[in-house]
Amino acid sequence: MWPILVALLAAMTVVLERSLWWWHLQQRTRTRTLDESFEAISEGEFAKAVEMTDAPGEPLLGTVHEGLLHAHSSLLGAMQLRASNELQEGERRQWVLGTLITLAPLLGLLGTITGIMRSFSFVGEEQLAPTKVSGGIAEALIATACGLGIAILCLIPYNYSTGNWRHYRARLERTINHVELLVQSARHHGHDLEEFARRRALEKAG
């Protein structure tokens, strides 16, 4: 039961940490500001867009910001790099829940088997052996029940977090694609983001 208890503590810790992380992400997301930055990019107001997206704690705005600042080298590459870092943060510790979903029932089954083996050691020793055997088997089955309970406890948050991560990835991909289209549209109207980013980089270097 000690390994099962450790698995339970690990599961509760990861579930709590991931729940808080997704909740905090929802609080940080600023959809209206993102839409306003899109409008600024489409109109060629790149300086305004850079200022609006200067929000390190907001993943979508931060992704756009990185792309705008490094458009002279690679707009798409800069945004994809930032997005990959954000996605890696969103997927952190998911492997723990995935492992416990499989490991916890196996630990419970192992506890049951060892418990039954120990119970049958009483057979033939005395008249009360059947009582001890049945009692030992009942106690051994508790390990399986606990292992299954931990797996169930992990399964629902794991699927929830996985769904959130996929939705998060889709939002980042849509944001990147949207910025690419807006930059191309602005270029057709005479607004060159690469030239703006190059001048800004030179000013920062000077």
Side-chain angles (χ1 to χ4, degrees), residues 35-46 48-50 52 186:
D35 292 336
E36 293 175 354
S37 69
F38 288 160
E39 184 177 351
I41 294 172
S42 65
E43 294 176 356
E45 299 177 354
F46 301 129
K48 179 181 178 181
V50 168
M52 295 177 63

Side-chain angles (χ1 to χ4, degrees), residues 86-101:
E86 297 291 344
L87 289 174
Q88 185 177 9
E89 185 68 19
E91 200 178 19
R92 190 177 61 173
R93 297 191 182 91
Q94 281 290 94
W95 66 271
V96 177
L97 294 180
T99 301
L100 290 178
I101 289 173

Side-chain angles (χ1 to χ4, degrees), residues 131-151:
T131 302
K132 290 185 177 181
V133 170
S134 60
I137 292 176
E139 292 179 2
L141 291 176
I142 294 176
T144 297
C146 291
L148 291 174
I150 294 173

